[in-house]
Amino acid sequence: MNITDLEGIIIVTGTDTDAGKTVTTAVIASALKQAGKDVLIIKPYQTGLAPDEPGDVHDAGHLAGIDANNLLEYVRCPEPLAPTTSAARAGMTIPSIEDVATRILEDSDGHDATLVEGAGGVLVGLDNDGSGVLDLMDVLAGRGHEPHVIVVTRSALGTLNHTGLTCRAIRDRGHQVDAIVIGSWPDRPDLAERCNLEEIEDAAAAPLAGVIPAGIGKDSEAVQRTARRFGEAGGTSVRP
Ligand SMILES: Nc1ncnc2c1ncn2[C@@H]1O[C@H](COP(=O)(O)OP(=O)(O)OP(=O)(O)O)[C@@H](O)[C@H]1O
Ligand SMILES: C[C@H](N)[C@H](N)CCCCCC(=O)O
Ligand SMILES: [Mg+2]
């Protein structure tokens, strides 16, 4: 799968929080932008930040060089927890998955590609009812906009199981995993990581679009260089 062919709504989910969804979102956004596409990035539910702090969508947008008008965050809950939990503890009413799907469809209109970053992994509760990103995929698909899905995985021992479980959960709900991305590939991979690189596509039953070098999460030039490699890969996997 060629990253630069992605169009429409692209959900960036992961095997866990901190897997590297934000940096992966930045790399894909930059690759699409370099291919001449107009990109919107949405983080519907952001937790753990004060109102004036930059969120994941701002970090990704800054790294990818996306205009601030093309970065949207719908709701922010204060404590760094799952959105459902964080909202409940703050006594906040937050938009339902159905409402978020409506906004995504409205906001994405006119853009070539809209990247939507989840929070944590696929079963994490996003709205007040505990519906999550799988429910969001269902609602979007039910309204005729089957999303593309990218799963961000870790490199370390344990990732084969987490990656397999996550991809199965997505497919069990009738959605396709377009590709997986290893969100942070270390300079000096250990034995398990070197083996995982060879086995992770089988575990996922989905293609590995590539690996993102560790440490580029604060370096926009490095993100844009990595994005160029993803664009030039033309559907082959970007290897270390
Ligand atoms: N390739 C990378 N280079 C540099 N830092 C990275 C990389 N991947 C992940 N990180 C770091 O790991 C942490 C988590 O990354 P990130 O915010 O992308 O995770 P996430 O999957 O988006 O998690 P969340 O569920 O909170 O959105 C951050 O501190 C980020 O700086
Ligand atoms: C606060 C954090 N950075 C994420 N945005 C939310 C992660 C929720 C994970 C919940 C869980 O799986 O236990
Ligand atoms: Mg993030």
Side-chain angles (χ1 to χ4, degrees), residues 3-4 23-32 34 63-64 181-185 209-234 236-240:
I3 285 287
T4 53
V23 70
T24 299
T25 299
V27 167
I28 296 173
S30 174
L32 290 166
Q34 290 174 35
L63 289 166
V181 172
I182 299 180
S184 184
W185 184 259
V211 309
I212 296 183
I216 70 165
K218 293 197 166 31
D219 180 345
S220 53
E221 278 182 25
V223 163
Q224 289 168 38
R225 258 198 322 275
T226 302
R228 197 163 306 120
R229 287 192 65 205
F230 272 74
E232 288 168 357
T236 62
S237 173
V238 175
R239 301 236 152 203

Side-chain angles (χ1 to χ4, degrees), residues 30-221:
S30 174
L32 290 166
K33 185 183 170 192
Q34 290 174 35
K37 294 193 175 164
D38 179 70
V39 183
L40 176 72
I41 310 179
I42 305 177
K43 177 86 175 182
Y45 300 93
Q46 171 73 61
T47 66
L49 296 171
D52 56 343
E53 287 181 279
D56 283 6
V57 75
H58 310 105
D59 291 345
H62 169 73
L63 289 166
I66 302 294
D67 191 274
N69 294 323
N70 283 17
L71 309 175
L72 298 175
E73 181 184 300
Y74 293 160
V75 69
R76 183 173 285 207
C77 306
E79 293 177 311
L81 301 167
T84 302
T85 316
S86 196
R89 285 175 52 89
M92 289 173 70
T93 300
I94 56 176
S96 66
I97 286 295
E98 282 79 10
D99 289 347
V100 160
T102 301
R103 282 190 70 177
I104 290 172
L105 291 174
E106 282 171 7
D107 291 332
S108 61
D109 193 34
H111 297 280
D112 297 319
T114 297
L115 290 155
V116 179
E117 184 190 337
V122 289
L123 297 185
V124 168
L126 297 180
D127 67 9
N128 288 114
D129 296 332
S131 295
V133 76
L134 296 175
D135 303 291
L136 177 60
M137 292 175 199
D138 288 351
V139 175
L140 290 168
R143 296 190 195 172
H145 293 265
E146 179 69 49
H148 291 287
V149 180
I150 304 291
V151 173
V152 183
T153 74
R154 296 178 185 280
S155 59
L157 191 66
T159 200
L160 297 179
N161 178 53
H162 295 150
T163 302
L165 287 170
T166 300
C167 293
R168 273 192 202 190
I170 294 165
R171 276 193 290 267
D172 283 353
R173 293 282 283 261
H175 307 291
Q176 182 188 326
V177 178
D178 289 80
I180 59 170
V181 172
I182 299 180
S184 184
W185 184 259
D187 289 343
R188 297 169 65 183
D190 64 21
L191 173 65
E193 288 169 321
R194 295 194 305 273
C195 293
N196 288 341
L197 185 62
E198 304 312 319
E199 294 179 23
I200 200 159
E201 288 186 311
D202 283 347
L208 174 68
V211 309
I212 296 183
I216 70 165
K218 293 197 166 31
D219 180 345
S220 53
E221 278 182 25

